[in-house]
Amino acid sequence: MIPTDFKSLIQRFYHLQAERVETYRLFDEQLVHEITKAFCGISTEVLEIKGKLHHDFDRADLSEHIDKLQSKEKQRLELTAKLQLARQRAQDHPEDEGCQEEIQEIKHEIIKNKEALSEIMQDLKYDSECD
C-alpha cells in the first residue's frame, strides 16, 4: 500500500529505487521473466507515488523528476538488454572484433545513463527536502 504522508511517500520511493538497482544485478543472471515482473511491479508503484505527489501534495516538481527518472530507467533497461545480446553475439562469434567494440559502446552509454539517473535522484532529494 502506498503511504499517504509526504515523508513516508518519499522514503518508499527511495526504497523502490534501491529495489530497482538490485534488480539490475539479477539481470546479469539472465532471470528475464522474474526481472520483467519485478520491474513491472516497481514501475506501477512508482507511478502511483508520482500521482500522489502531484495530486495529493501538489508537488508537480517531484512528479516531473519521477517522470524523467522513469524515462531514464526505461532507457537503462533497454541498454542492459542490448548489452546482454551483444555479449551473447560476442560469445557466439569470437572472431568478430566488432562485437567487443559494440559492448564497450553500450557500457559507455550505460555509464552515462547511470550518471543521469544519479543527477535526477539528487534533484529529487534536494527538492523533496526543501518543502
Side-chain angles (χ1 to χ4, degrees):
M1 181 163 175
I2 300 291
T4 55
D5 68 285
F6 181 79
K7 188 173 183 177
S8 295
L9 201 58
I10 294 298
Q11 287 174 337
R12 180 64 184 149
F13 171 76
Y14 286 138
H15 175 78
L16 288 169
Q17 189 60 24
E19 229 180 280
R20 197 179 327 219
V21 168
E22 181 58 31
T23 303
Y24 274 106
R25 287 190 182 96
L26 295 176
F27 205 93
D28 289 334
E29 297 171 21
Q30 299 182 12
L31 302 172
V32 177
H33 177 72
E34 290 84 356
I35 290 167
T36 303
K37 186 176 173 184
F39 278 129
C40 184
I42 291 167
S43 287
T44 299
E45 195 170 346
V46 165
L47 291 173
E48 287 178 36
I49 288 172
K50 178 189 140 220
K52 282 189 171 288
L53 288 170
H54 187 81
H55 300 293
D56 297 356
F57 295 96
D58 196 29
R59 293 300 303 266
D61 59 332
L62 300 181
S63 179
E64 191 176 312
H65 291 315
I66 291 174
D67 264 344
K68 290 176 186 175
L69 187 102
Q70 285 290 97
S71 175
K72 287 292 178 188
E73 286 292 358
K74 180 177 185 247
Q75 181 186 31
R76 182 178 175 187
L77 182 59
E78 290 167 355
L79 287 169
T80 304
K82 192 174 169 182
L83 179 61
Q84 288 298 105
L85 290 172
R87 284 178 173 158
Q88 186 61 50
R89 265 193 309 279
Q91 194 172 24
D92 293 345
H93 306 285
E95 73 287 349
D96 186 351
E97 293 175 17
C99 290
Q100 290 305 319
E101 188 176 310
E102 180 185 14
I103 289 170
Q104 291 309 311
E105 288 173 10
I106 296 168
K107 284 181 175 181
H108 182 69
E109 287 181 57
I110 289 172
I111 289 168
K112 289 192 316 190
N113 176 275
K114 286 180 180 180
E115 289 169 353
L117 282 165
S118 179
E119 195 172 302
I120 295 166
M121 288 298 292
Q122 289 280 5
D123 291 346
L124 189 138
K125 181 175 173 42
Y126 177 81
D127 289 347
S128 68
E129 291 173 355
C130 298
D131 307 318

